Amino acid sequence: MPGKILDIGFGTGVLLKKLYDDGISVWGIDFSPEMIKIAQRKMPKARLMEYDFSRGFPPELENEKFDFIICTYAIHHLTDAEKIKFIGLLQDHLNDNGEILLGDVAFETREELLKCKTESGDDWDDEEIYMVADTLSKEIAGMRFVKISHCSGVVRIEKGALQA
């Protein structure tokens, strides 16, 4: 079982709390002071900090390494180019055999995304940039996409997967 996890955009800590309760060392960054207060009450020993990940990786964590870095329903705020750059930064903070897990509204192909957008009509959020696995995989060797539903999935990236 992994010993140290970083959760990016943990919100109120619903997912992170399950890991915390299993005795895992949990760290987290979130841009919302209110969310951090709620999560910190649930997990008093967790290391949680305020930071906007769209600015990159927090300097306060520069010397830290993690077994897993997770991000659920937050990375859609970055463009595809920003996602690739950010993933590169995250890989520098993985322990050997570490892994990045990105769960979000995500699609295997651009065609699947466009189909879902059409079917969603006015409910589609044009301000969010959802992951498309075949686009990201051009820059990230060995990236794996696990489809969860018609509109969601998990991207798994092992340490060292970013193309040179």
Side-chain angles (χ1 to χ4, degrees), residues 10-30:
F10 59 83
T12 60
V14 173
L15 172 62
L16 200 55
K17 174 81 164 74
K18 293 180 184 307
L19 301 168
Y20 178 87
D21 288 345
D22 284 342
I24 296 169
S25 174
V26 296
W27 299 54
I29 60 174
D30 200 284

Side-chain angles (χ1 to χ4, degrees), residues 13-134:
V14 173
L15 172 62
L16 200 55
K17 174 81 164 74
K18 293 180 184 307
L19 301 168
Y20 178 87
D21 288 345
D22 284 342
I24 296 169
S25 174
V26 296
W27 299 54
I29 60 174
D30 200 284
F31 72 93
S32 170
E34 287 305 310
M35 296 290 188
I36 294 168
K37 285 179 192 171
I38 293 167
Q40 196 75 69
R41 282 194 298 268
K42 295 178 189 177
M43 303 172 289
K45 294 181 181 175
R47 296 194 175 182
L48 309 177
M49 62 178 290
E50 183 180 344
Y51 189 78
D52 180 355
F53 73 90
S54 69
R55 297 187 346 233
F57 197 80
E60 298 87 347
L61 300 180
E62 194 56 42
N63 296 319
E64 299 296 333
K65 300 268 187 187
F66 301 92
D67 297 301
F68 283 89
I69 299 175
I70 58 177
C71 180
T72 53
Y73 296 100
I75 202 158
H76 57 255
H77 295 291
L78 302 179
T79 66
D80 287 345
E82 291 168 335
K83 285 178 183 78
I84 299 294
K85 183 178 178 183
F86 189 58
I87 289 165
L89 295 173
L90 296 180
Q91 286 193 89
D92 292 340
H93 296 280
L94 287 174
N95 287 324
D96 291 341
N97 300 313
E99 195 169 354
I100 299 166
L101 302 170
L102 308 172
D104 212 319
V105 174
F107 305 89
E108 189 143 9
T109 66
R110 180 77 43 203
E111 291 75 26
E112 287 178 7
L113 178 144
L114 294 173
K115 180 180 183 224
C116 188
K117 179 178 181 177
T118 300
E119 291 171 354
S120 298
D122 292 339
D123 292 330
W124 188 263
D125 188 341
D126 282 317
E127 292 183 23
E128 296 181 348
I129 305 147
Y130 302 121
M131 291 188 294
V132 176
D134 66 2

